[in-house]
């Protein structure tokens, strides 16, 4: 199950990558995002829950928010909110689609971790004031330079391996 990330659906596979314009000669041989941005989030433990689809999506979203705001908006988003509420085609700790997680985050949003701590939650506070949303997800080409440029310019990226049985 790739730690909980399910294969992309046909619509996602047909998504055309955006065009990035950069000079490949300007790409450094090494780059550490933690050196450029000191507010990059720490790796979180998803335990035995197969929910990399939720944890990775929110980690990238909160890092990019912190980067875009120049460190003025640093928040830890609640994977439990996404696991418990994003049910359309998702299987919580038994796997999910990153594309659907991004779509949920764009259309509905999630609360900070302190509002719904990560655990098996049974009920949520009804007076949520803060919902964090994002712009639509986009795809970049699988070229190494494109991934490097995106990472250096906008922050962490989410990658998936697609295996095909021949």
């Amino acid at each position: 199950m790739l730690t909980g990330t399910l294969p992309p659906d046909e619509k996602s596979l047909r998504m055309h990558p955006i065009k990035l314009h950069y000079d490949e000669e300007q790409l450094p041989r090494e780059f550490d995002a933690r050196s450029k941005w000191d507010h990059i989030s720490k790796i979180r433990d998803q335990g035995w829950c197969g929910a990399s689809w939720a944890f990775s999506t929110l980690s990238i979203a909160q890092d990019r928010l912190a980067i875009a705001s120049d460190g003025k908006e640093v928040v830890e988003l609640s994977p439990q909110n996404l696991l418990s509420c994003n049910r359309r085609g998702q299987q919580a700790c038994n796997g999910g689609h990153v594309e659907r997680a991004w779509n949920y985050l764009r259309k509905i949003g999630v609360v900070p971790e302190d509002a719904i701590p990560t655990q098996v939650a049974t009920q949520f506070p009804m007076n949520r004031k803060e919902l964090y949303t994002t712009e639509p997800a986009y795809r970049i080409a699988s070229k190494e330079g494109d991934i490097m440029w995106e990472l250096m310019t906008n922050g962490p990226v989410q990658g998936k391996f697609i295996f095909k049985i021949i």
Side-chain angles (χ1 to χ4, degrees):
M1 275 190 8
L2 300 175
T3 66
T5 299
L6 300 176
D9 54 27
E10 287 299 316
K11 182 180 177 186
S12 297
L13 290 173
R14 289 191 309 268
M15 184 187 295
H16 293 288
I18 63 170
K19 302 277 188 213
L20 299 175
H21 303 284
Y22 59 93
D23 179 2
E24 287 191 38
E25 299 296 321
Q26 291 182 344
L27 295 174
R29 295 188 55 70
E30 292 183 10
F31 177 75
D32 185 345
R34 297 168 300 178
S35 298
K36 184 173 181 179
W37 301 293
D38 61 354
H39 36 269
I40 297 291
S41 57
K42 306 244 183 304
I43 295 172
R44 298 181 66 183
D45 184 359
Q46 68 187 45
W48 289 101
C49 177
S52 62
W53 63 273
F55 280 77
S56 64
T57 299
L58 294 183
S59 178
I60 291 163
Q62 67 194 28
D63 284 352
R64 285 184 167 227
L65 173 62
I67 291 166
S69 69
D70 201 24
K72 293 177 182 73
E73 187 72 34
V74 178
V75 63
E76 193 170 303
L77 300 175
S78 171
Q80 188 65 51
N81 185 181
L82 196 55
L83 287 168
S84 298
C85 299
N86 182 212
R87 304 304 277 171
R88 176 173 256 160
Q90 305 289 55
Q91 301 169 26
C93 283
N94 293 319
H97 299 274
V98 295
E99 300 84 359
R100 293 177 187 175
W102 282 108
N103 197 36
Y104 184 89
L105 188 56
R106 179 178 63 90
K107 289 183 175 182
I108 296 171
V110 296
V111 296
E113 171 73 11
D114 59 1
I116 305 175
T118 302
Q119 59 186 335
V120 178
T122 55
Q123 73 185 137
F124 302 121
M126 298 308 288
N127 58 350
R128 299 186 305 217
K129 294 179 182 173
E130 298 175 335
L131 279 174
Y132 289 85
T133 60
T134 186
E135 296 294 321
Y138 56 93
R139 179 179 170 195
I140 58 174
S142 298
K143 289 176 29 188
E144 182 180 5
D146 285 359
I147 297 167
M148 291 170 65
W149 184 257
E150 180 68 20
L151 178 63
M152 289 174 35
T153 307
N154 297 311
V157 298
Q158 188 175 46
K160 291 193 333 183
F161 294 99
I162 301 172
F163 297 98
K164 293 184 180 182
I165 299 174
I166 301 174

